[in-house]
Amino acid sequence: MISHERCSANRALSSRSNIVSDSLKSKGMVLVKAMVLKEYGGPGVLRVQEIGRPEVGPEEILIEIAATAVNRADLLERQGLYPPPPPAPRYQIPGLECAGTVIATGERVIGFNIGDRAMALLPGGGYAEYVAVAEDMAWLVPEALNLTQAAIPEVYLTAFDALWDKAELMPEDRVLIHAAAGGVGSAAVQLALAAGVQVAATVGSEKKRQFVSKLGAHRVINYRDQDFVAAIQHWTQGQGVQAVIDFVGQSYLQRNLQILAAGGTLVIVGTLSGAEAPVNLGQVLNRRLTIRGTALRSRQRYDKMRLVQTFARRTTADFNSGRLKPIIDRIIPWEQAGEAHRILATNQTIGKLVLKVR
Ligand SMILES: NC(=O)c1ccc[n+]([C@@H]2O[C@H](COP(=O)([O-])OP(=O)(O)OC[C@H]3O[C@@H](n4cnc5c(N)ncnc54)[C@H](OP(=O)(O)O)[C@@H]3O)[C@@H](O)[C@H]2O)c1
């Protein structure tokens, strides 16, 4: 079923791209490079091509991208399983974040000048030399960060939203963060610690356990050696945690509910092991538990804008002081995005894979 749908989608994608590149040549537009999806499939479909340089709308800035980063969602999008939100973009280009230099501003832009260093949350389009983005979705790079370090805001925004908007944690609450050495997990550990939350974390290897311990997490559990339910019950003296930040889904659901304190919240950020699982509603009811989901890309613009601007205000000082440190597994030239996708899928990375564009 998926392969039939993918074939039709591939035909539509490739005919759209051919028409566009022919007409660009005849219009004499400035051509720039971007990784347009002309077909869906394996990492090999990620190839650079020339497109017309994006133009800024009245409330947009044009960023000359220095670096972008790989997200799990990009792997799904590449396979045709995660379409960009409407309105459909002229070119389907993966990439949910970037950092770079502002080279043009729309007539109603008030927060940026040409030459500013900007980082941005994107609906797509990051695997490219240039992107036009609403100024509300961008903010100035903290002075202490270079443009490579600034290319990974998506995981911090996701973690910020999960911890504060969804779990509504308070200082000294206890949280369990799964996949804590991953992109979002490691961002969540840092943000929670910086706010005075007690942090427990799960990871899948000794190397990751050591890494997350160095970040300062109070209790780090290698789930391959140890049952995380027993470890959390021991850590909390049977009281449980006020929140669980989960990326695993199906295989963890029952255990996540078990270790929540009365009134606690489970935040579903990802479903890496699967999306369907039975729920014991009696447990939810009796212990007044909340299960909340979150998804960044599909949100309304004003909801995202509020998150982006709150995040920028509340974290810039912590990035400048070094309290928050972007965690980068490695930097890869963007032309090798396919290889980066292969690496991310191995589950071996710590922090983020950054794609260097220039
Ligand atoms: N809702 C949103 O808006 C949003 C935004 C960003 C990301 N996400 C989702 O959040 C999830 C994590 O993203 P990320 O960027 O942090 O990814 P990541 O850096 O690749 O980290 C994911 C880690 O999860 C662990 N893992 C993978 N499969 C697992 C399984 N079946 N059971 C247990 N652990 C597993 C692995 O670490 P271990 O070796 O420690 O097991 C892996 O390295 C993804 O599903 C992503 O799509 C959602």
Side-chain angles (χ1 to χ4, degrees):
M1 192 59 189
I2 284 176
S3 65
H4 170 72
E5 282 166 6
R6 195 183 281 169
C7 279
S8 326
N10 275 344
R11 273 198 296 278
L13 270 180
S14 90
S15 64
R16 196 171 70 191
S17 307
N18 289 338
I19 293 164
V20 170
S21 53
D22 288 348
S23 71
L24 285 178
K25 281 178 203 150
S26 63
K27 280 186 190 159
M29 285 184 81
V30 179
L31 294 179
V32 297
K33 290 182 182 148
M35 212 159 261
V36 180
L37 285 177
K38 295 179 91 169
E39 58 182 324
Y40 297 126
V45 303
L46 293 170
R47 289 186 293 269
V48 173
Q49 79 169 78
E50 288 191 324
I51 60 168
R53 195 169 78 180
E55 286 172 8
V56 279
E59 294 170 6
E60 289 182 335
I61 57 174
L62 182 62
I63 300 178
E64 185 179 69
I65 297 178
T68 180
V70 183
N71 283 284
R72 289 262 166 177
D74 306 350
L75 279 59
L76 296 176
E77 179 163 5
R78 190 200 72 220
Q79 297 168 75
L81 303 173
Y82 192 62
R90 186 168 173 198
Y91 306 104
Q92 190 174 347
I93 301 169
L96 300 175
E97 55 194 336
C98 75
T101 307
V102 176
I103 61 155
T105 56
E107 67 214 29
R108 290 211 291 271
V109 166
I110 52 172
F112 290 91
N113 294 307
I114 290 170
D116 281 346
R117 300 187 322 145
M119 52 207 282
L121 180 69
L122 307 172
Y127 293 16
E129 290 183 318
Y130 296 88
V131 69
V133 59
E135 71 161 329
D136 301 331
M137 299 299 163
W139 62 106
L140 294 173
V141 173
E143 280 169 20
L145 302 187
N146 62 38
L147 292 177
T148 305
Q149 294 168 316
I152 61 169
E154 208 262 359
V155 287
Y156 282 93
L157 285 159
T158 303
F160 186 91
D161 173 66
L163 292 166
W164 316 130
D165 278 8
K166 299 298 176 294
E168 299 178 14
L169 282 166
M170 304 291 284
E172 299 187 17
D173 277 349
R174 296 178 299 268
V175 65
L176 171 63
I177 298 170
H178 288 302
V184 187
S186 59
V189 169
Q190 291 183 68
L191 287 165
L193 289 171
V197 172
Q198 298 288 305
V199 175
T202 66
V203 291
S205 71
E206 175 57 20
K207 185 176 167 197
K208 290 182 178 182
R209 196 194 62 74
Q210 287 182 16
F211 175 79
V212 176
S213 298
K214 273 204 189 128
L215 287 181
H218 300 93
R219 179 78 177 86
V220 188
I221 304 149
N222 179 347
Y223 64 82
R224 294 186 199 279
D225 294 344
Q226 213 183 350
D227 171 30
F228 73 78
V229 174
I232 292 298
Q233 297 297 20
H234 184 256
W235 182 59
T236 63
Q237 296 170 338
Q239 299 295 301
V241 291
Q242 278 73 36
V244 176
I245 309 298
D246 184 42
F247 312 96
V248 178
Q250 188 179 70
S251 64
Y252 278 7
L253 180 66
Q254 198 47 47
R255 285 177 282 169
N256 282 338
L257 294 178
Q258 222 177 315
I259 49 156
L260 279 175
T265 302
L266 167 61
V267 184
I268 304 287
V269 185
T271 54
L272 285 162
S273 72
E276 291 182 23
V279 182
N280 179 342
L281 291 174
Q283 198 173 33
V284 174
L285 181 146
N286 286 321
R287 293 185 19 249
R288 307 180 311 282
L289 305 180
T290 303
I291 303 176
R292 299 189 74 173
T294 182
L296 211 50
R297 194 188 196 190
S298 56
R299 285 200 206 170
Q300 294 298 320
R301 175 175 166 185
Y302 287 100
D303 195 7
K304 271 197 242 182
M305 182 189 86
R306 185 184 58 80
L307 174 64
V308 162
Q309 298 305 326
T310 309
F311 171 84
R313 265 201 322 276
R314 298 236 326 244
T315 58
T316 296
D318 282 343
F319 279 113
N320 280 332
S321 71
R323 210 169 182 198
L324 297 176
K325 280 202 186 88
I327 295 162
I328 295 174
D329 184 280
R330 70 194 91 170
I331 301 166
I332 299 172
W334 75 301
E335 294 86 352
Q336 294 166 29
E339 179 56 16
H341 280 208
R342 278 192 204 94
I343 294 169
L344 192 68
T346 64
N347 289 340
Q348 301 297 314
T349 50
I350 290 182
K352 292 285 293 183
L353 291 175
V354 168
L355 300 176
K356 195 160 176 79
V357 178
R358 72 177 68 234

